[in-house]
Amino acid sequence: MSILILFAAVIAALCVWTLLLQRFRTKPWLVTGTEPETSQFSAKLAKKMGFWVFLGVITSLFALFSMAYAMRMKTGDWQPVPEPGILWLNTIFLVASSLSLQGAVYAAGRRNERWLKMMFSAGGLLALAFVVGQLRAWQILVSEGYSMDSNPASAFFFLLTALHGIHLMGGLWVWTLTTVKAFYGRDLGDLRLSIELCAQYWHYLLILWLLLFALLKAT
């Protein structure tokens, strides 16, 4: 319980820090009645804060499941699940996806529309390859007799990887909407926030996957 309270405090501190940082970057004491700009700033700040709160909720969810996983490992009926080799390839896909989206952020800052479209598209397709690879890993385990209900270890494997995959698919939905806007002539200035949040979400999912991968290997 104390860990969760500490985590909530950290998330709150990050939100406040982001609010203050963005506020000082705009130098409000120099603004003279530019209400549209202030309104636009408020909308962007609300999206960013909502995004970080969302990540906080996801982190809490996975932290609880990870603690349950660690405690369940100590029971006598725990049978380790063999690691499908394709998980390493999937990890490479997700790393490449994260780097591609960061490249798209860089291209958006330089207003390089062609490079932006290439890198942003590559990021989403590589993430989709990761999801397909995860499904293949499930097929391999099932063929070897490790189904969802075969033992607690395999049940946790399917649960944790499915939760991660669902959150990645949600990110792919947002990526699809942003891609459509980018290819249909939407101004890069309007898309920059969406591109940045997509990249940050991918970085988060990459870190989360690396932690889950290490946890699953710990068996």
Side-chain angles (χ1 to χ4, degrees), residues 11-161:
I11 292 298
L14 285 174
C15 290
V16 173
W17 178 80
T18 303
L19 175 63
L20 293 175
L21 182 63
Q22 293 293 334
R23 192 65 177 169
F24 279 106
R25 279 179 178 174
T26 57
K27 300 180 181 180
W29 53 87
L30 297 180
V31 178
T32 57
T34 56
E35 185 175 347
E37 293 183 6
T38 303
S39 177
Q40 186 178 16
F41 164 76
S42 299
K44 289 183 178 180
L45 183 58
K47 290 181 180 179
K48 289 184 177 181
M49 292 191 67
F51 172 76
W52 284 105
V53 170
F54 176 62
L55 293 190
V57 173
I58 298 176
T59 303
S60 299
L61 176 65
F62 277 95
L64 289 173
F65 277 111
S66 298
M67 287 187 289
Y69 181 91
M71 290 186 292
R72 193 66 176 83
M73 284 174 58
K74 301 176 182 178
T75 58
D77 59 345
W78 187 270
Q79 300 176 11
V81 177
E83 175 192 299
I86 196 173
L87 292 181
W88 290 97
L89 178 61
N90 296 344
T91 302
I92 294 174
F93 282 145
L94 196 56
V95 170
S97 176
S98 182
L99 291 175
S100 297
L101 288 175
Q102 186 58 43
V105 173
Y106 178 80
R110 295 296 183 111
R111 302 193 69 82
N112 188 332
E113 185 174 352
R114 182 171 177 272
W115 187 251
L116 165 65
K117 291 178 179 179
M118 290 175 56
M119 298 303 292
F120 199 71
S121 298
L125 293 175
L126 286 165
L128 185 59
F130 171 85
V131 173
V132 173
Q134 295 294 80
L135 293 175
R136 177 56 184 159
W138 284 9
Q139 291 178 345
I140 293 173
L141 288 177
V142 171
S143 67
E144 295 178 355
Y146 294 93
S147 60
M148 183 75 175
D149 57 352
S150 60
N151 76 84
S154 61
F156 266 101
F157 179 91
F158 283 98
L159 175 63
L160 292 174
T161 54

Side-chain angles (χ1 to χ4, degrees), residues 185-206:
R186 188 76 172 266
D187 183 70
L188 292 184
D190 297 335
L191 290 175
R192 186 168 181 177
L193 178 60
S194 297
I195 294 169
E196 289 178 356
L197 293 182
C198 275
Q200 291 172 13
Y201 187 57
W202 253 250
H203 301 336
Y204 171 82
L205 289 177
L206 172 60

